Amino acid sequence: MSDKRKDYLSWDEYFMGVAKLSGMRSKDPSTQVGCCIVSPDNRILSMGYNGFPMGCSDDTFPWAREGEDPLETKYLYSTHSELNAILNYKGTSLAGARLYVSLFPCNECAKAIIQSGIREIIYDSDKYAGTPGVIASKRMMDAAGVKYHQYQKTGREVCIRM
């Protein structure tokens, strides 16, 4: 009899890895965000990445971050990874689920997260922490009792060859 392998991925490594891999599907040239929603018993319920809604061609709509005309920037058209993952879910309820995401959720995604019943967020980056959108997001999540904490990097490198 041999011992089991000891260098397997932890649940947090696995689900954050899935979130980051999902983000690699994004066609956004400046920001690729991925999300993975997980049940309390560690089953993947849904995934998402930032992009345009179905039927809105990513060859037609703008990807610009800045511009004089807001209609010529991505912000009025793109759907964030968290909302995509929530909308992609085809089950009955997300109540009690955890959400792994590569970038801390904005205030609009926080509303959807709270309303869907997700109870915990594990995020990688919080690079917009001082912005009004993230401050509002944290304020709402605190009020609603949604826990959140930063993913604790292990330093492990995972390489996938295609």
Side-chain angles (χ1 to χ4, degrees), residues 11-135:
W11 286 121
D12 278 352
E13 287 173 314
Y14 177 59
F15 296 131
M16 187 57 75
V18 169
K20 288 185 172 202
L21 189 61
S22 295
M24 293 175 75
R25 280 284 308 143
S26 175
K27 296 175 185 171
D28 188 325
S30 59
T31 307
Q32 299 81 46
V33 180
C35 175
C36 179
I37 301 175
V38 180
S39 71
D41 62 346
N42 294 319
R43 298 185 190 274
I44 294 175
L45 300 174
S46 188
M47 295 174 285
Y49 55 89
N50 57 313
F52 297 136
M54 288 187 287
C56 298
S57 172
D58 49 39
D59 293 323
T60 306
F61 284 84
W63 286 109
R65 287 178 59 107
E66 298 175 16
E68 289 182 29
D69 183 355
L71 292 172
E72 295 306 318
T73 68
K74 65 182 179 178
Y75 297 108
L76 296 178
Y77 308 106
S78 63
T79 304
H80 289 177
S81 67
E82 304 93 306
L83 184 57
N84 260 332
I86 291 167
L87 295 173
N88 287 339
Y89 181 61
K90 300 300 182 207
T92 57
S93 175
L94 291 172
R98 295 188 318 276
L99 183 145
Y100 289 80
V101 64
S102 54
L103 182 63
F104 195 91
C106 73
N107 60 302
E108 292 300 320
C109 289
K111 294 173 195 176
I113 290 165
I114 293 165
Q115 288 298 101
S116 70
I118 292 169
R119 302 307 303 156
E120 184 177 0
I121 297 166
I122 299 91
Y123 63 92
D124 186 32
S125 172
D126 195 8
K127 72 178 181 177
Y128 299 111
T131 64
V134 171
I135 293 168

Side-chain angles (χ1 to χ4, degrees), residues 1-19:
M1 185 169 150
S2 64
D3 291 334
K4 69 179 180 181
R5 221 180 84 198
K6 303 242 190 274
D7 63 342
Y8 58 89
L9 295 174
S10 70
W11 286 121
D12 278 352
E13 287 173 314
Y14 177 59
F15 296 131
M16 187 57 75
V18 169

